Every structure is written in structure tokens, then in C-alpha cells.
């Protein structure tokens, strides 16, 4: 018989702020049975992280438990003092985090950090302190348990020498040192590439099986949740709006929010509605090779080489050639480190290519400098990955959107004001937003502001560098749809960079796949997705499909 | 979050347009008021500023501040007639201390102002440009920082000749390197931010980026440092005054007053005590104010 390991009853939490108390969690009821995996899905700001942090007693400062309790294996966690927590935190409940790099100390080897955790556990549980060799053996055992092939070598490495997936494995190994009953995973795969994400999820599944671990995993990615969790809860604005078996929720979501969330998940194997419609109206120019249409942007043999401190060089981009037709959406897909962002910046001459030629709108921009390059920038704009840091926090939205006008045109005062209002209209934001500061806006709104800024000068080409990867799924869907509309409205050409295959499929006409600075495959999006030729593309698609909606049902 | 209806088409009032700014200021005020030491510092500074502004017109013996001699009343202890007592020339110390506030304020403003005016642009250019420009600026800065500031100032005043103006020039010369260091470090961090690249991608020129993006984001530490430096500059100037390189007597300069009063210790304690206390309270006030400003302006030291 399975007993409940964690029982949350009517848990209500407020956080005091300057503007008064904010009700972050409202009457949360949740039960986790031993050996079970529970997923918690929700957007950013839904309170899911605050909830799991409260389970660890590391909730935000100035938070107050208004009502309810969290009972873990018979102990009421909401009344524990520090001494009580020491016996639970990290020993019986442990946690892994979103960004493995920031949670590892760069100054110590992986082995040292795990050994320290082992020693701390021995202290906390009152066991005699194990010797150095014993701890090393234990640490290596843990590392091999989390699927690291040569633990002896990894033991002596520093975090920066490991890949993102390896780091996350190390963090998991660390979390397992105390042989916890409950493992809380806070977005464990969000910062990872698709292929690595699939492996880490696989690992969590294995651990649940072999160690009879109980896992609570939070994520905004429904696919990831569905892969590991048999039961899941959907959080929305501090409430659990729906919980039950993951399968049931995915098949027939009952709450309106869950339905919206699921509908927003882009699907790898679904030919998107909007863009195929556009294609029908206007047969894609690149298909008719005979037509005299000239490409808007051509890059030939772009290379970027960085010198290393100890001599030697790194080839970030190694001979990439591409061309973009007017009105087309070219996708560049690849994992982190594949050089796709470097290509984007080289296309716009924000990074100097080591060699190669870029022709934009009929003229070479490779040799341009100073004023000429500045003028050229009007026609090509970049939208950044992270809208939160792409806007200067000291400028109002109006200043931010008006900035390109002030720099590039002779417009002044009233005219700029008017144009800013028009642009806000174009990106479907209220006019009064021009008085707001970026920190008052949500992620999706900020990205709209960034887009408004980018289109302010009527550019011909928009390079979008992962424009939606920092956003929630439902917001991502809105932004993508909006980008499609905008393209039609303003006659734009997009170069769309993403690691998310489903997004690429939804929006791009043609796609190139990059790996380690080289283009491995290139062609029409549908052709690439349906009949991938290169084995890397196949691997990418396979791992992408694992967490896609179709695989779950 | 604001509760203003953002969809309405009617023009917004001033309050509504600047709702975010107002809220921000209210938050700052709220946090500032919550700390006793910040408020104490602010009170001292405000008091000092008021005295500097209206001091000369409210003091009981204005003629005493310009060198009037009244030998009958020399070295009187504090009393109803002379609140802080009198000095060896029979001048009212209360009047002289209050009028001295204006000199001190002037010293503080000129030194920190000149220091920041020279140091901040150099720091921003060094941090943003990098390469040999940065190397040159930073090496010169380090050269200045390597020599003890007051000793260098002393040498400069000695060669220029004593006097208040020369004293301020000397201190300003040793003051700017601190700003270069601070601003350079901050600029190095800010220039890596995405919004700088974003500005570059829309074709902004370097001066535009420095003025609109880098400088506003460097302002908080600059303001904090300037506030603290006001105190330090007043103290340093008093130090130079003490060794006789500052304002010549009979100008009511606090450092010079303590210097003369030194030989009348301990029997005529009030003579050195009150100018000394004025220096102490002013420096304390500016330092506490700076601390308080740092607490509200620096997000890292903030609890929310």
C-alpha cells in the first residue's frame, strides 16, 4: 500500500511588499504518495517555485504562511525551527535547480563539492565523518549512478569543463547524497538542449524506478512533465486549478486554463495553420528557381574564429553560407554552442566575421564602416532572446521605442510621440504603455516592445534570435502568431533562430540545421522535418518528438 | 502595479503618466524613512545646508567672522551671551562656526564636483573603449592612487602657495581617480548588457550609448560616492586648514579654527570643541546619508 509522503492542506502564503500583501499561494491542496512522481505545470508567476521552496523551508523573505500546513512523513514543516530543518533539508528532501551552472561553485572541483555535501550529511545525521577515500568512493558511486561514464575523471574536473547536461547530472548526484525520500526538481531541463533534456528526463525516470525515489518536478513544459510524471497538477495564479493523472489531463483538460495551455504548445509534427495559409496565397518565391527574384541577404562562407588564451583557436562558425529571399522566413536551428547566434550577429555586422562575404539588398556590407554601416542598420534589425535585459531599465517604453527614430531620423518631439503611439498600436499594446517602465511589463509585453523598436524604422530584414525562448508557452504562441501577422502587414523577411524545433516548424519556410559552426542540413522546413537526411537532424527530431504532445497520447 | 486604466483614450494626467516614477520615489522614501541612521544623516545634512544658506544673516555677531577684535571678551566660556564661548580675539565662536558651514559646503561641492566631472567621463571612456585607451587612463589613475592622497595634496598646495582656492584645486587633483575606478568597473559590467548591443544594432553612435545607456546605469554608485565624498572632502580640507595650508585667518574655516585652538587646550576646551564637533557632525551626516542612499539604490543590498 502506498502511503502519503507529503501532504499539503489549505496552504496559503502571502508575501509582504511595499504595495501591501500579495497572495502568492491560495489554498493549495496536494498529496504526494511514496514512490510517485508528481508534476506541477504552470507559467512563470503562477507560484509553483514558491510552493516547492516552501516545502524546503527556503521560501522568499517576507513571506507569511496565512493558513494551512505542509506535513512531510508525519512532521509539520510549517512549524519547524532551524535545528529541525537541518534533519530534513538536503537529507530527506533535496532539490535540483534550473540553471546548473549557477548552483555549482566554479572554484572547486565537482568531486570536492560532492564530498563536502557528503561530509555535511554525516554531520547532520550524526554519523561519524567518513575518511577522504571513503567519501571519494561514495561520490564516484553517485556520479556513476546518475549516468556519468567515467566518474573518476569527472570527479577532478571543474564545473566549467562540463557540459550543461553533465552539470545537471552532477547536481542530481549531489541531491542524492543524503539518500532523500523526496527529490524536488525545479525546471531541471529548461536550460538544456533538446537532446540533453531527453537524457536528463530519462535519468530521472530511471532513478525513480531504481531508488524508489519520490519526485516532484515543476516545469512550464508540459511535454517534459508528461514524460516523467504519472500525476500532475496545473497551477495558475497561485491556485491549483486541476490535478489528476497526467494522461487524463492531457487528453481532456477540464479547466479552461489547462485547455489554453495545451492549445498553445507548438507541435513538431503539425504543419502550422497560419504560415501554410500565407504560403497558399503567395507561392514561396524560393521554389521558383527560374524567377528573377534576387535574395535579400546572402552570406558566403562566413567564418568566425576566436583565439584562445593558451594559443590555439576555436572555430565558432566554420564556413556558413546562406541566402534569404524577400518575404521568406529562414529558420536556423541548432543546439547551444552551434554558432547560430554568432551567425545572426555576423549577418548584422554586430560581430566582425573572420572571413566571408555578406551581401544585403544588392550591395556588400562586409566592408562597410562608420556612417555607411549606421545607415544600413535601418534596414536590418535584431530582436533579442531575452526581452528582460534587451530594454534599458531606466528608459520608459516610449523612450525605448522612440530611440531608433531619434538616432536614425530627423523626427523630433511630437512626431516621435505620434509614431511611438502608432508602433504601440502595431504591436497591440495600449498607447499609455509609453509611460511605463520595462519592469512593470510582462515578458510577452516586453518582447512586443522590443519588436516595436525593431520595426520602428521600417526594416526589410528582421533577425530574431530565439525571440520566444524566454517566454511562457502561452505567451510564446501569442508572440509567434503576432510575428506572422506582422510579417504580412509590414512586408518583412525573417531570419528566425531557435533551438525549439516545434517553433521552427510552425513559422519557417526554409530551415538550416547547424551543428558546431557548420550547416549540416538545409532545405524546406517540411522536407527536413518529414525526411531528415543527416543523422544529427534525425537525432534532434527524435529527442524533440519525445516530449512532443503526440508522443504522450 | 498601477491601477490606471490603460485602455482609455483620454489624455492622462501628470500623475497618471508618471505613476511609475512616483511609485518608485515613494518606495525609496518609504525605505529611507525606515532606517534611523539614514534619517539622522539626512537631518544633519539638511541642518548643515540650512546653516550654509542663511547662516551669515542669523548669527549674533557677524562682524566677528571677518576679524573683529574685542579683547575684553577674549576666551569667555560658553554662556547666555556667547553660546559657544569666545576665542583669543574675543570673537564669538558660535558665529564663526555657523558661518564656517558655508566655506565647508563650498569646499565639499567644488572638490567632489570637480573630481566627478573629471573622473566620471574618464571612467566611462576607459570602460567602454577598452584597449590602449583604457590602459592609458587606468595606469595614470593607478599612479595617482598609489600616492597617499593627502600627502600629494600637501605637496601641490605647498607649491601653489596656501589659500582656500589652491587647497581645493589640490584636493580635486587627488580626488578624481576614485571616480575613474568606480565608473570604469560599473561600465565594464553595463556595456555587456543586451540593451547596449540593442542600441548598437539600431545604429546608435558611441556618445549616444554612453550618455543614454551607460551613464544612467552608473548613476547610483556615483551618487552614493559623491555623498560620502562630501564628508571626506570637508574632512581633508579641514586637515589642510589645520596644518595652515587652507583659508588664511581670520576666515572662519573649521580646520584652521581647530588648529589655532590646539594651543588653548585643555583649559579653554570650547575653542577647539565646537569647530571640531561641527566637522564631526557634518562628516558623519554625509556618510550616513551616503550609506542610506546606497541601501535604497543598490538592489543587491536590498531585501526585496
Amino acid at each position: 500500500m502506498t502511503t502519503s509522503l507529503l501532504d499539503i492542506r489549505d496552504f496559503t502564503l502571502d508575501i509582504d511588499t511595499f504595495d501591501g500583501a500579495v497572495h502568492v499561494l491560495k489554498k493549495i491542496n496536494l498529496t504526494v504518495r511514496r514512490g510517485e512522481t508528481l508534476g506541477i505545470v504552470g507559467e512563470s508567476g503562477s507560484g509553483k517555485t514558491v510552493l516547492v521552496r516552501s516545502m524546503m523551508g527556503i521560501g522568499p523573505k517576507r513571506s507569511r504562511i496565512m493558513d494551512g500546513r505542509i506535513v512531510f512523513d508525519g512532521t509539520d514543516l510549517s512549524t519547524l525551527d532551524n535545528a529541525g530543518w537541518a534533519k530534513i533539508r538536503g537529507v530527506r528532501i533535496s532539490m535540483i535547480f534550473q540553471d546548473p551552472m549557477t548552483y555549482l561553485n566554479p572554484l572547486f572541483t565537482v568531486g570536492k563539492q560532492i564530498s563536502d555535501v557528503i561530509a555535511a550529511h554525516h554531520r547532520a545525521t550524526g554519523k561519524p565523518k567518513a575518511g577522504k577515500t571513503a567519501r571519494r568512493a561514495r561520490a564516484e558511486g553517485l556520479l556513476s549512478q546518475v549516468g556519468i561514464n567515467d566518474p573518476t575523471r569527472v570527479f577532478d574536473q571543474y564545473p566549467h569543463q562540463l557540459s550543461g547536461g553533465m552539470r545537471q547530472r552532477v547536481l542530481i548526484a549531489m541531491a542524492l547524497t543524503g539518500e532523500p525520500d523526496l527529490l524536488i526538481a525545479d525546471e531541471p531541463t529548461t536550460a538544456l538542449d533538446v537532446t540533453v533534456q531527453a537524457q536528463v528526463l530519462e535519468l530521472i525516470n530511471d532513478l525513480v524506478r531504481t531508488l524508489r525515489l519520490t519526485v516532484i518536478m515543476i516545469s512550464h513544459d508540459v511535454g517534459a512533465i508528461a514524460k516523467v510524471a504519472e500525476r500532475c497538477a496545473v497551477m495558475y495564479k497561485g491556485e491549483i486549478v486541476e490535478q489528476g493523472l497526467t494522461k487524463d489531463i492531457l487528453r481532456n483538460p477540464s479547466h479552461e486554463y489547462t485547455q489554453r495551455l495545451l492549445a498553445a504548445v507548438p507541435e513538431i509534427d503539425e504543419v502550422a495553420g497560419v504560415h501554410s495559409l500565407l504560403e497558399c496565397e503567395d507561392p514561396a518565391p524560393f521554389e521558383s528557381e527560374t524567377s528573377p527574384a534576387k535574395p535579400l541577404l546572402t552570406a558566403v562562407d562566413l567564418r568566425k574564429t576566436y583565439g584562445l588564451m593558451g594559443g590555439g583557436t576555436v572555430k565558432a562558425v566554420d564556413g556558413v553560407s546562406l541566402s534569404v529571399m524577400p518575404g521568406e522566413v529562414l529558420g536556423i536551428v541548432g543546439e547551444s554552442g552551434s554558432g547560430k547566434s554568432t551567425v545572426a550577429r555576423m549577418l548584422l555586422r554586430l560581430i566582425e566575421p573572420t572571413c566571408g562575404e555578406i551581401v544585403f539588398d544588392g550591395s556588400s556590407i562586409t566592408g562597410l564602416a562608420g556612417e555607411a554601416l549606421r545607415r544600413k542598420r535601418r534596414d536590418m534589425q535584431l530582436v533579442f532572446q531575452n526581452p528582460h535585459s534587451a530594454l534599458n531599465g531606466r528608459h520608459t517604453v516610449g523612450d525605448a521605442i522612440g530611440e531608433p527614430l531619434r538616432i536614425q531620423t530627423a523626427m523630433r518631439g511630437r512626431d516621435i510621440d505620434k509614431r511611438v503611439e502608432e508602433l504601440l498600436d502595431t504591436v497591440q499594446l495600449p498607447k499609455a504603455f509609453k509611460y511605463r517602465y520595462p519592469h512593470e511589463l510582462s515578458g510577452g509585453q516586453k518582447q512586443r516592445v522590443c519588436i516595436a523598436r525593431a520595426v520602428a524604422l521600417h526594416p526589410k530584414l528582421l533577425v530574431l534570435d530565439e525571440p520566444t525562448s524566454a517566454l511562457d508557452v502561452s505567451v510564446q504562441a501569442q508572440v509567434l502568431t503576432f510575428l506572422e501577422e506582422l510579417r504580412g502587414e509590414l512586408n518583412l523577411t525573417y531570419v528566425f533562430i531557435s533551438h525549439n524545433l516545434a517553433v521552427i516548424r510552425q513559422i519557417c519556410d526554409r530551415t538550416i540545421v547547424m551543428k558546431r559552426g557548420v550547416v549540416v542540413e538545409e532545405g524546406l522546413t517540411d522536407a527536413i522535418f518529414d525526411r531528415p537526411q543527416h543523422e544529427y537532424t534525425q537525432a534532434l527530431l527524435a529527442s524533440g518528438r519525445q516530449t512532443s504532445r503526440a508522443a504522450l497520447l | 502595479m498601477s491601477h490606471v486604466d490603460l485602455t482609455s483614450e483620454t489624455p492622462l494626467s501628470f500623475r497618471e503618466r508618471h505613476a511609475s516614477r512616483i511609485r518608485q520615489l515613494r518606495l525609496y522614501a518609504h525605505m529611507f524613512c525606515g532606517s534611523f541612521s539614514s534619517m539622522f544623516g539626512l537631518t544633519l545634512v539638511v541642518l548643515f545646508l540650512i546653516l550654509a544658506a542663511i547662516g551669515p544673516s542669523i548669527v549674533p555677531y557677524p562682524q566677528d567672522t571677518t576679524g573683529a577684535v574685542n579683547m575684553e571678551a577674549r576666551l569667555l566660556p560658553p554662556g547666555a551671551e556667547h553660546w559657544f564661548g569666545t576665542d583669543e580675539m574675543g570673537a564669538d565662536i558660535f558665529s564663526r562656526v555657523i558661518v564656517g558651514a558655508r566655506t565647508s559646503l563650498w569646499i565639499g561641492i567644488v572638490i567632489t564636483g570637480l573630481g566627478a566631472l573629471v573622473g566620471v567621463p574618464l571612467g566611462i571612456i576607459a570602460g567602454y573603449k577598452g584597449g590602449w585607451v583604457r590602459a592609458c587612463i587606468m595606469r595614470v589613475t593607478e599612479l595617482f592612487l598609489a600616492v597617499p592622497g593627502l600627502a600629494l595634496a600637501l605637496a601641490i598646495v605647498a607649491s601653489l602657495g596656501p589659500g582656500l582656492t589652491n587647497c581645493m584645486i589640490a584636493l580635486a587633483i587627488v580626488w578624481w581617480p576614485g571616480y575613474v575606478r568606480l565608473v570604469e568597473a560599473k561600465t565594464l559590467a553595463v556595456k555587456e548588457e543586451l540593451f547596449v548591443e540593442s542600441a548598437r544594432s539600431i545604429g546608435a553612435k558611441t556618445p549616444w550609448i554612453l550618455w543614454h545607456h551607460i551613464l544612467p546605469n552608473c548613476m547610483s554608485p556615483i551618487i552614493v560616492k559623491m555623498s560620502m565624498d562630501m564628508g571626506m572632502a570637508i574632512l581633508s580640507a579641514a586637515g589642510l586648514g589645520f596644518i595652515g595650508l587652507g583659508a588664511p585667518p581670520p576666515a572662519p574655516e573649521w580646520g584652521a579654527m581647530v588648529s589655532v585652538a590646539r594651543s588653548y587646550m585643555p583649559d579653554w576646551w570650547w575653542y577647539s570643541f565646537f569647530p571640531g564637533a561641527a566637522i564631526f557632525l557634518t562628516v558623519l551626516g554625509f556618510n550616513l546619508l551616503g550609506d542610506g542612499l546606497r541601501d535604497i539604490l543598490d538592489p543587491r543590498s536590498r531585501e526585496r
Side-chain angles (χ1 to χ4, degrees), chain A residues 32 35 54 60 72 120 142 144 164 217 274 278 288 313 334 346 354 371 380 404 414 431 476 533:
Chain A
V32 187
S54 307
F72 172 74
L142 284 165
S144 65
M217 178 166 137
V274 193
L278 285 175
S288 42
T313 52
M346 284 198 293
T354 312
E371 194 58 29
M380 34 197 240
R414 285 270 166 72
K431 287 194 179 81
Q476 164 175 304
Q533 303 297 319

Side-chain angles (χ1 to χ4, degrees), chain B:
Chain B
M1 287 296 123
S2 68
H3 304 285
V4 185
D5 178 19
L6 292 172
T7 50
S8 75
E9 285 296 315
T10 50
L12 299 172
S13 70
F14 180 84
R15 266 191 100 79
E16 285 168 332
R17 275 185 279 132
H18 296 278
S20 356
R21 190 36 74 72
I22 293 169
R23 181 191 174 275
Q24 184 77 15
L25 289 177
R26 274 182 53 226
L27 176 64
Y28 283 164
H30 172 82
M31 286 163 66
F32 199 86
C33 294
S35 143
F36 170 75
S37 63
S38 313
M39 286 309 284
F40 183 58
L42 184 68
T43 315
L44 287 175
V45 169
V46 168
L47 199 69
F48 171 70
L49 292 179
I50 291 173
L51 288 183
I54 60 164
S57 50
I58 57 156
V59 292
Y61 304 95
Q63 71 283 2
D64 285 4
T65 61
T66 49
V69 179
N70 180 4
M71 281 315 191
E72 276 125 69
R74 63 193 297 263
L75 293 170
L76 292 177
E81 196 79 344
H82 300 284
W83 290 359
F84 289 178
T86 57
D87 64 12
E88 84 281 9
M89 298 292 180
D92 180 44
I93 294 178
F94 179 68
S95 306
R96 287 176 63 82
V97 165
I98 288 195
V99 172
R102 188 173 277 189
T103 319
S104 291
L105 176 71
W106 181 234
I107 290 171
I109 287 177
V110 169
I111 293 172
T112 46
L114 279 181
L117 216 61
V118 176
V120 172
L122 282 178
I124 287 189
I125 292 168
Y128 191 77
K129 282 282 179 196
W132 64 269
V133 178
R134 170 163 177 241
C136 289
I137 295 177
M138 293 318 288
R139 291 308 87 78
V140 173
T141 306
E142 275 152 20
L143 205 68
F144 272 91
L145 284 171
V147 185
L150 208 54
L152 182 60
L154 213 104
I156 299 171
V157 185
S159 64
L160 292 175
L164 199 57
T165 318
N166 289 346
C167 162
M168 289 195 285
I169 292 174
L171 283 171
I173 289 175
V174 301
W175 222 264
W176 61 267
Y179 287 90
V180 180
R181 257 294 167 74
L182 178 82
V183 175
E184 186 237 13
K186 186 76 189 162
T187 306
L188 283 177
V190 175
K191 79 166 179 182
E192 295 302 324
E193 298 268 359
L194 264 188
F195 58 79
V196 174
E197 196 185 357
S198 172
R200 230 152 53 78
S201 79
I202 55 174
K205 291 177 189 163
T206 303
W208 175 280
I209 292 177
L210 295 184
W211 182 251
H212 285 93
H213 293 285
I214 309 264
L215 186 63
N217 283 287
C218 292
M219 270 333 269
S220 308
I222 295 176
I223 290 172
V224 172
K225 186 169 165 62
M226 283 183 78
S227 163
M228 298 236 183
D229 275 358
M230 283 288 286
M232 293 314 294
I234 290 171
L235 193 62
S236 301
L240 287 182
F242 185 80
I243 43 182
L245 296 174
E253 203 271 318
W254 292 342
M257 285 166 76
V258 176
S259 165
V260 179
R262 179 183 49 168
S263 44
Y264 295 89
M265 286 276 276
D267 297 340
W268 297 278
W269 57 269
W270 57 89
Y271 190 3
S272 52
F273 176 81
F274 288 105
I279 297 173
F280 168 71
L281 288 177
T282 312
V283 176
L284 179 73
F286 277 111
N287 273 311
L288 291 180
L289 178 71
D291 264 341
L293 286 176
R294 185 181 53 209
D295 287 347
I296 63 170
L297 292 177
D298 183 3
R300 265 169 310 175
S301 66
R302 204 182 295 170
E303 272 189 31
R304 64 186 64 221

